[in-house]
Amino acid sequence: MDDAERAEHHEQMARDFALSLRKPVPVRRGRCMSCGKALEPELIYCDRDCLIDHEKAIAARMRNGK
Ligand SMILES: [Zn+2]
């Protein structure tokens, strides 16, 4: 996977994430939104696992009404 493909992959993850919440989400780039690890400036997750973990955490929070 080259850099352009990788950036596109992460854009797709960001879109998937926003869609999963069905509302606009403030996206903070350059740091994993799941585990907080520092990343390249355009990235928001280390990998798909962090995306999934973060979606699960948010879904759990929403189920709890917070
Ligand atoms: Zn992470």
Side-chain angles (χ1 to χ4, degrees):
M1 197 183 281
D2 68 22
D3 282 351
E5 283 173 331
R6 212 155 54 101
E8 195 173 325
H9 174 66
H10 281 269
E11 282 301 317
Q12 182 63 52
M13 290 209 294
R15 275 197 296 273
D16 287 351
F17 173 65
L19 280 173
S20 76
L21 298 181
R22 289 180 179 76
K23 64 177 183 178
V25 180
V27 172
R28 194 181 42 175
R29 292 175 185 274
R31 195 167 282 276
C32 179
M33 290 175 68
S34 179
C35 71
K37 189 175 135 189
L39 301 171
E40 290 170 53
E42 78 274 19
L43 306 186
I44 64 169
Y45 295 107
C46 308
D47 53 27
R48 190 101 202 152
D49 286 345
C50 275
L51 167 71
I52 290 165
D53 283 354
H54 193 223
E55 284 181 343
K56 282 183 189 163
I58 286 171
R61 272 214 299 275
M62 289 171 92
R63 272 199 305 275
N64 291 335
K66 287 176 188 166

